[in-house]
Amino acid sequence: MKRVIAIGEALIDLVPQQTGRKLDEVSHFERVVGGAPVNVVTAVARLGGAAAMLSQVGQDAFGTHIIKVLRDAGVDTSGVFRTDRAKTGLAFVSLDENGDRDFCFYRDPSADLFLSAEQIDPAMFEDCAVLHFCSVDLVDRPVRGAHRRAIALARQAGALVSFDPNVRLPLWDSPAACQAAIRAFLPSADLVKLSDDELAFVTGCTDERMAADRLFAAGCRLLLVTRGAHGAAAYTPHAAAQVPTVSVPVVDTTGAGDSFMGSFLYQLTRDGVTAAALADLSAEALTAYLRFSARYASLTVQHKGAVMATLDEVERAQAQDGAEG
C-alpha cells in the first residue's frame, strides 16, 4: 500500500482534566500530541496503512515527545525536522458539557511555521498515494511555500491531493485573510473536506450540493461534509451519499473530523482509488466509506484528546453494531 503523507502543524494539545468549564477556570491539563495533519496520518497508521508526516518541531522536550508518539503509532517521521528558531506549538483546550472545544494557541511563532520549501525533498513522494494538508499552516510564513512545493511534487508523483481547511480564525489576522488563503489553495485539491459550519465561509454557498458544484468547477472531484451530530455526506459530480452519526457518549470532540478524514483516506488508499477515479465512485461505494469513517470517528469522541482506534477496534465496534441491529 502506498503512503498517505500529511504536511502541516505538529503541536501539543493541553486538554483539560475538568469539563464544563471555561478555559480560564481549568486548573489541570493533560499533554496530548495534536495538530490536524498529525491526527490524520496517525489514524491511517493505526488502521494499518502507510503514513508519513512532513513538519517541524522545536529542539525541546515537546518536539521530542511528538516524534516519539508518531513513531510509536507507526508514522514515518523522517520528514519531521527540528529547529532552534522557535519552540514547538501549544494549544490549550477547554471542553463544555457536550465535549465541544475552545482553543487558546501558543504559536507566534512556532517551529512548524519555519518549515521551508527547500526542506521538501522529491524523494519523499516516490511512493505517495495521498498528500493531505489543512489551512492552519497556510499563513504568510515559510511553511506556506513548503505546502506549495509539496503539492507540486505530489502532483508530479501522481498522488491524490486532499484538503481539509479546518478553519481556526484566532490564528489569522482577519477572517478575510484566512478565507483568501483557503480559496487560493482550493484549486490544488482533488478532495475537499468541510464541516457544515465551514461550508459558507469557504465556498460562499449554504447549500451542500451548490457548494459541491462550485468546488467541482474549480477542479475538485469529491467533497466530504461532516455535520457533527447530524451525520456526514459525500458528493462527486455524478453521485451523492449520506449517513447518520453513530450515537455514542461524547467525551471530547477533539480530533473527530481528523479521525473521519484519516479513516476515509485510509480506505481510498487501501482500495487504490486515484485522483482520476474519485469522480467515478458510486453512491454505494461512497456510502460504505462514509459508514466506516462515521464509526471510526465515533470511537475517537469517546476519549479525551484525539485518540485514534486500530482496525481491530473499529471492526469489533462494527460487529457489535450488527449484533445489536
Side-chain angles (χ1 to χ4, degrees):
M1 186 185 295
K2 289 188 174 183
R3 299 196 298 176
V4 175
I5 301 175
I7 182 171
E9 72 277 10
L11 48 80
I12 295 291
D13 285 334
L14 291 158
V15 300
Q17 294 186 0
Q18 307 112 318
T19 58
R21 299 188 183 185
K22 294 181 180 179
L23 194 56
D24 65 348
E25 298 171 335
V26 177
S27 60
H28 294 80
F29 294 87
E30 180 181 353
R31 176 193 63 180
V32 178
V33 172
V38 164
N39 295 337
V40 168
V41 288
T42 299
V44 172
R46 293 275 288 165
L47 284 165
M53 186 67 202
L54 290 178
S55 190
Q56 189 159 248
V57 295
Q59 293 282 7
D60 51 40
F62 285 139
T64 299
H65 179 65
I66 288 171
I67 291 173
K68 180 181 184 299
V69 169
L70 284 171
R71 285 176 178 167
D72 288 348
V75 177
D76 179 356
T77 61
S78 60
V80 180
F81 300 92
R82 308 294 294 266
T83 182
D84 57 7
R85 295 184 67 181
K87 300 293 187 184
T88 302
L90 305 177
F92 287 84
V93 187
S94 65
L95 302 173
D96 67 17
E97 294 83 354
N98 299 316
D100 292 323
R101 304 154 294 162
D102 185 26
F103 290 96
C104 182
F105 293 94
Y106 285 71
R107 58 188 307 268
D108 188 25
S110 54
D112 54 292
L113 299 177
F114 294 103
L115 182 69
S116 68
E118 291 72 25
Q119 292 172 276
I120 309 301
D121 187 343
M124 298 173 176
F125 299 89
E126 289 177 356
D127 62 347
C128 177
V130 177
L131 175 69
H132 179 73
F133 69 103
C134 303
S135 73
V136 165
D137 270 3
L138 298 183
V139 292
D140 190 15
R141 292 280 188 170
V143 71
R144 182 188 289 184
H147 277 68
R148 292 196 183 280
R149 177 163 170 79
I151 291 167
L153 292 172
R155 286 263 182 238
Q156 291 174 21
L160 184 159
V161 177
S162 166
F163 183 20
D164 176 2
N166 196 38
V167 176
R168 296 287 181 266
L169 291 179
L171 296 174
W172 294 82
D173 293 337
S174 68
C178 176
Q179 186 182 65
I182 290 170
R183 290 181 175 178
F185 276 81
L186 281 175
S188 302
D190 302 299
L191 187 162
V192 175
K193 182 260 179 192
L194 297 170
S195 63
D196 53 355
D197 58 359
E198 294 170 337
L199 197 72
F201 180 80
V202 171
T203 69
C205 299
T206 56
D207 178 80
E208 291 179 3
R209 183 77 246 185
M210 290 178 63
D213 289 341
R214 182 165 293 185
L215 291 172
F216 298 152
C220 173
R221 293 163 176 168
L222 173 62
L223 170 65
L224 296 177
V225 181
T226 53
R227 305 167 176 163
H230 303 291
Y235 299 88
T236 74
H238 313 297
Q242 59 182 341
V243 298
T245 295
V246 179
S247 180
V248 295
V250 176
V251 174
D252 181 359
T253 58
T254 300
D258 303 331
S259 63
F260 188 98
M261 188 77 250
S263 59
F264 201 95
L265 295 178
Y266 161 77
Q267 294 176 88
L268 294 180
T269 307
R270 176 199 64 196
D271 294 348
V273 179
T274 63
L278 284 176
D280 296 323
L281 288 171
S282 67
E284 293 76 16
L286 292 172
T287 300
Y289 289 156
L290 289 172
R291 282 178 177 159
F292 181 92
S293 291
R295 194 63 179 98
Y296 191 80
S298 77
L299 298 176
T300 295
V301 300
Q302 295 179 65
H303 302 274
K304 280 188 179 180
V307 176
M308 301 298 160
T310 64
L311 185 58
D312 285 345
E313 289 169 334
V314 72
E315 286 178 342
R316 284 198 298 270
Q318 288 176 315
Q320 183 178 352
D321 294 341
E324 293 175 353

